Amino acid sequence: MTTTSDLTGRTALVTGATAGIGRAVALQLADRGATVVAQGRDADRGAELVAAITARGGAARFVPADLAEVADVERLAAAAGEVDVLVNNAGVYRFLDTPSTSAAEFDRHVAINTRAPFLLVAALAPGMAERGHGVIVNVSSSAATTPAPVGTAYGASKAAIELLTRSWAAEFGERGVRVNAVSPGPVRTAGTTGMLGENIDLLGKVTLRGRAADPEEIAEIVGFLVDDTRSGYLNGTVVLANGGERSAMAA
């Protein structure tokens, strides 16, 4: 497969890279010439991803890590080494109401969705700043800004990552590091389909596009945000990719 060379010579760390949006992002960045460091927990899926990237003419390696564990996040950052692109995609989501959400479940959402990106940025962004260039893309969710009666812990963890996106843009932007986020609406992945079943289609139908997104559509936006030529003046921005929200009157 012929790849474009806009990311040739660059290294990209993608968390949650073995499925869904993360896998689509990893494949796209590798196709564009980046060496991909793919994080996940399943070694078999990690090996399959590396094989798929290699078969397309790209370069990748898999680093297993449990992002709920601080030591594993720190080990992942050390194993990744100097990176030019960091995509904080990994996330956990359970759509429970508040009384049904245990303290442990709340802590797990915060640990994976908020703390892990925080620790990775703390470990890797200073090196980007010293080298004078780098791009960080955080994958948020429409749950961060759209109140719902379930998924409160998930929404809170994603709202935090959107504030961190703006804070990191202010902290590192003057030293050549751009930090942005993409906020998807309903996306058809194995995870969402397994959890929500046909409800993922119902969620998609209430958008102005009338359907759930494919992972590749969100990966295209991540790819745009990574590209210094096409998005070089974007910093501290959250790109909404929710298919369009219907107004209360239209609904």
Side-chain angles (χ1 to χ4, degrees), residues 116-137:
F118 185 92
L119 294 175
L120 288 173
V121 169
L124 299 173
M128 295 179 181
E130 288 177 9
R131 295 187 296 276
H133 67 86
V135 181
I136 298 168
V137 179

Side-chain angles (χ1 to χ4, degrees), residues 66-155:
D66 183 350
L67 299 187
E69 302 295 331
V70 171
D72 259 23
V73 178
E74 293 173 342
R75 180 177 56 79
L76 170 63
E82 291 187 356
V83 302
D84 305 286
V85 176
L86 168 62
V87 180
N88 285 309
N89 163 77
V92 60
Y93 45 86
R94 292 201 65 196
F95 297 111
L96 303 171
D97 61 18
T98 298
S100 302
T101 304
S102 66
E105 192 69 59
F106 182 88
D107 288 349
R108 180 169 172 79
H109 278 79
V110 173
I112 295 174
N113 298 353
T114 311
R115 187 181 68 192
F118 185 92
L119 294 175
L120 288 173
V121 169
L124 299 173
M128 295 179 181
E130 288 177 9
R131 295 187 296 276
H133 67 86
V135 181
I136 298 168
V137 179
N138 301 312
V139 178
S140 181
S141 166
S142 58
T145 53
T146 304
V150 294
T152 50
Y154 176 67

Side-chain angles (χ1 to χ4, degrees), residues 21 29 38 49 55 67 100 132 136 144 147 149 152 179 183 188 196 217 243 250:
I21 295 171
L29 298 187
L49 172 63
L67 299 187
S100 302
I136 298 168
T152 50
V179 188
S183 176
R188 175 177 290 283
L196 299 174
E217 292 178 291

